[in-house]
Amino acid sequence: MKLRSLLYVPAHSERFVAKAHERGADGIILDLEDSVPDADKDKARDGLPQSRAFVGRNGAAVFVRINSGARQDADAGAAKSAHATGLVVAKADLGALDALGSLGLPLIAMLESPAAILDARDFARHKAVTGLIVGSEDLATELGATPTPEVLRTPKLLVHYAAKAEGKLSLGLLRSVADYNDLSAIEAAAQEARQHGFDGATCVHPSVIPVLNTAFAPSADETAWAQRVIDAAKSGAGAFTVDGRMVDAPVIARARRILEG
C-alpha cells in the first residue's frame, strides 16, 4: 500500500469532508479523536458511512482514527461498517490491538507514550498491524517535553527501526506535523525522512500534501540512476561501477525498489 501522504480530516466537519477528495492525498484519515470536540463525537461516528463515501471518491485509502478507552469498540465497529480501508489506533496498546484484530482491518498503531516507544518492536510484530507512527504531541506531553525536532528524533527513529525490522510501514517526519505553515521546513523534514527510509507521513493541512507526495517519491534523477544500475547489472558482474561509484548486490536491490516506486 502506497501512503506517501495521509491527510487528517475531522469527521464531524462537513466543510472539510466535502473537499478532502480533491486534495490529492494517497490516504485520508477521518478523525474521531483529538480534532473532534466531545460534544460532536457521536455525530462524527454516526456520519462515517457518508464521510467515507465522500472522501474516497478519487480512490484514496480511507482510514479512521478511533478513540481509545470507552469509545474504542463502537468507533471501530462503525469504521468497519462504513467500509474503511483500516484503522488508526490512537494511544495504542497491545491489548487494544488484540481486540481490534478480530475486525480484519489493517491497523496503523500510534505510539504516544514512553512505554509504547520502548515496546515498539512488539507493536510492529502484531499480525494486525500494517504500520507504525509516533503521536508527537501526546508523546511530548507524556515526557514533560517540548515537541521540537531534537526531542522527537530519537523516539521516532526507534519506532521507524521497529517497523522496518518487521516489514511494516513506517510513517512520519522527524518533527511534529502541528506547524504546517513552514512548508520549507516540512519539505526538508520529508526529504530527510525518506533518506532514512520512511514510507510517508501524515499532515493536518492540504497545502502539505504536494510536498509529501513529491518528497516520498523517487525523483527523475533517482529513477534515471536506478535504470542505469539495472541496465549495467545485466552484464552479470558481481560488482561494477556506475557514475564513478561501486555497485554490488545491495545497491542493485535499492535500484530495483526505486523503479518499483
Side-chain angles (χ1 to χ4, degrees), residues 111-125:
L111 308 190
E112 305 187 70
S113 70
I117 300 297
L118 294 174
D119 291 338
R121 188 78 181 269
D122 292 333
F123 285 92
R125 287 191 179 110

Side-chain angles (χ1 to χ4, degrees), residues 5 8 10 17 26 52 69 73 91 103 110 124 139 171 186 189 195 199 208 210 224 229 231 233 256 258:
S5 56
Y8 280 109
V17 167
D26 288 340
R52 188 258 177 271
D73 291 346
K91 300 175 179 63
L103 293 174
M110 291 194 74
L139 175 63
L171 302 168
I186 292 173
Q195 288 170 356
D199 297 289
V208 179
V229 169
D231 289 344
R256 287 200 180 101
I258 289 172

Side-chain angles (χ1 to χ4, degrees), residues 47-127:
L48 280 179
Q50 295 77 24
S51 300
R52 188 258 177 271
F54 265 98
V55 303
R57 278 181 288 176
N58 282 345
V62 182
F63 289 81
V64 176
R65 181 164 74 163
I66 61 175
N67 289 280
S68 59
R71 288 186 170 272
Q72 175 186 281
D73 291 346
D75 284 356
K80 172 77 170 180
S81 297
H83 306 292
T85 304
L87 304 178
V88 177
V89 184
K91 300 175 179 63
D93 64 65
L94 293 169
L97 297 184
D98 288 340
L100 295 169
S102 63
L103 293 174
L105 293 174
L107 307 179
I108 297 176
M110 291 194 74
L111 308 190
E112 305 187 70
S113 70
I117 300 297
L118 294 174
D119 291 338
R121 188 78 181 269
D122 292 333
F123 285 92
R125 287 191 179 110
H126 198 285
K127 63 182 180 180

Side-chain angles (χ1 to χ4, degrees), residues 148-225:
T148 63
E150 182 180 6
V151 167
L152 295 172
R153 184 179 186 84
T154 296
K156 289 200 170 198
L157 285 175
L158 288 173
V159 172
H160 170 61
Y161 299 150
K164 290 298 182 176
E166 298 300 327
K168 305 298 176 70
L169 289 174
S170 177
L171 302 168
L173 306 178
L174 300 176
R175 55 168 286 155
S176 172
V177 300
D179 180 11
Y180 57 81
N181 287 309
D182 192 346
L183 289 180
S184 61
I186 292 173
E187 181 179 13
Q191 291 171 350
E192 177 190 31
R194 182 166 177 265
Q195 288 170 356
H196 278 278
F198 284 78
D199 297 289
T202 60
C203 59
V204 296
H205 194 275
S207 64
V208 179
I209 293 169
V211 175
L212 299 181
N213 286 346
T214 298
F216 286 105
S219 68
D221 287 345
E222 287 176 305
T223 300
W225 168 85

Side-chain angles (χ1 to χ4, degrees), residues 20-32:
H21 70 288
E22 301 174 357
R23 306 305 192 181
D26 288 340
I28 304 293
I29 301 174
L30 287 170
D31 192 19
L32 301 179

